[in-house]
Amino acid sequence: MRVSLSKSDRSFSVAPERPVLDAALDAGLNLPHSCKGGNCGACRVRLLEGEVRYPNGRPLGLSDAEVADGFILLCQARAVGDLRIEAVEPSAAGTSEIKRLPGRIVRTQQLSHDVIGVFLRLPAAEDFDFQPGQYVDVMLPGGRRRSFSIASPPHDSHPLELHVRRVQGGEFTEPLFADPHVQRGRSMLLSIEGPLGQFVYRSSDAPMLLVGGGTGLAPLKSILRHVIENDLPRHMTLYWGVRSERDLYAHGELQELVRRAPAFRYEAVLSEPSAAWAGRRGWVHEAVLQDFEGLAATDIYASGPPAMIAAVRGEFALRGADPARLFFDSFDYAPDALERQRTMAATKS
């Protein structure tokens, strides 16, 4: 089956059981997307011709009105026949070539109780050009993928730094955390694909507000280091929300960036801190709203779990945030990972 893009002469093939988004990425088309779980709506396109189905039911990121207007979500849609879609294609000037390359884990670093830093070395003979904020997919058997944002900036990406959170029963993360050879920094070979994603740094004179939840810090760290270490004249404020003190795995590093860059401010926000915590408490987006009366003249970069992204998109708009200047990256589990977790939970019960 073929999927054609209405605004160009480009098309790609897709198998009946394969998500349309995955087929587009395999064809080198980096179409807009984010969570890949059907929650954020970033991969929404209008279906002009053809029919799709959703194996797990209509995704949460698609409203009744959007369905009535002919929109579909590429990350969940399976083609029933040939399709023609209306999608926003990234401009050639703002894209990098998507490549599939071997990546060797040259070392790991325990960052917290459930997050490790994974450092990947790519082949020296291959250029890997990416923009701050993009991510790579780790390829698993059967064509499955696990997405991880690049935490290192382009100018300091040898090796690439990824932040990997442990997922109970995770097909990729459990062996990674459990393997003592990996933990001692011995080499492990992966297949990766990238760079991917439209969550990238945009040049501007406007102040930047960065909002991260958990390992959603990773792409924001890439952006921060890109701006600071290239002496770009930007005023930046980062709010990083985690559960408790033990989850602040990059707290010291961020404080060091504050010391190096007078135009950078950082606030850690804890939702379940200990009684000894003297900093900000509550939800990270609420801390932003406490500090900012208006957001109309601000470039906003938000990266984290779907609930945080939904709150940012909805509540920041009430403070005047411009939707065209709100860039987001919604972190969610891959559908097959969620199914694996449900199966494990049912087996244990």
Side-chain angles (χ1 to χ4, degrees), residues 180-242:
H181 298 298
V182 174
Q183 289 299 310
R184 286 197 293 267
R186 297 184 182 178
S187 293
M188 174 180 174
L189 192 63
L190 305 174
S191 176
I192 70 160
E193 186 172 283
L196 299 165
Q198 307 300 313
F199 184 73
V200 298
Y201 172 73
R202 272 84 168 176
S203 296
S204 167
D205 295 327
M208 293 172 59
L209 172 62
L210 303 97
V211 186
T215 52
L217 175 69
L220 302 180
K221 179 183 171 185
S222 177
I223 292 171
L224 284 168
R225 289 191 57 200
H226 171 77
V227 172
I228 292 171
E229 294 171 14
N230 286 290
D231 295 321
L232 303 181
R234 299 295 299 269
H235 288 274
M236 300 183 294
T237 303
L238 167 68
Y239 289 78
W240 183 29
V242 296

Side-chain angles (χ1 to χ4, degrees), residues 23-43:
L25 296 177
D26 283 347
L29 285 170
N30 191 10
L31 297 179
H33 63 279
S34 185
C35 75
K36 294 185 178 179
N39 293 311
C40 72
C43 64

Side-chain angles (χ1 to χ4, degrees), residues 128-168:
F128 186 78
D129 298 322
F130 68 96
Q131 299 179 71
Q134 289 191 295
Y135 72 92
V136 296
D137 274 352
V138 173
M139 310 306 295
L140 301 179
R144 298 187 305 280
R145 302 164 175 259
R146 295 294 180 266
S147 302
F148 299 97
S149 289
I150 304 170
S152 45
H155 67 270
D156 184 20
S157 57
H158 304 287
L160 286 180
E161 177 184 351
L162 312 177
H163 294 173
V164 177
R165 181 182 300 280
R166 186 171 198 166
V167 176
Q168 191 67 33

Side-chain angles (χ1 to χ4, degrees), residues 210 212 237-241 248 251 254 258 264-270 277 279-280 284 287 291:
L210 303 97
T237 303
L238 167 68
Y239 289 78
W240 183 29
L248 288 170
H251 191 57
L254 292 170
V258 170
F264 171 50
R265 186 168 72 89
Y266 159 57
E267 292 278 359
V269 185
L270 273 56
W277 174 250
R280 304 291 290 271
V284 64
D291 294 349

Side-chain angles (χ1 to χ4, degrees), residues 242-295:
V242 296
R243 179 172 295 174
S244 64
E245 290 92 328
R246 69 175 185 167
D247 299 305
L248 288 170
Y249 65 82
H251 191 57
E253 189 173 359
L254 292 170
Q255 289 177 320
E256 176 59 29
L257 287 178
V258 170
R259 286 189 286 269
R260 290 166 48 191
F264 171 50
R265 186 168 72 89
Y266 159 57
E267 292 278 359
V269 185
L270 273 56
S271 61
E272 299 177 14
S274 70
W277 174 250
R280 304 291 290 271
R281 296 167 178 260
W283 299 113
V284 64
H285 73 280
E286 293 177 346
V288 175
L289 296 173
Q290 291 166 8
D291 294 349
F292 285 81
E293 288 294 326
L295 295 167

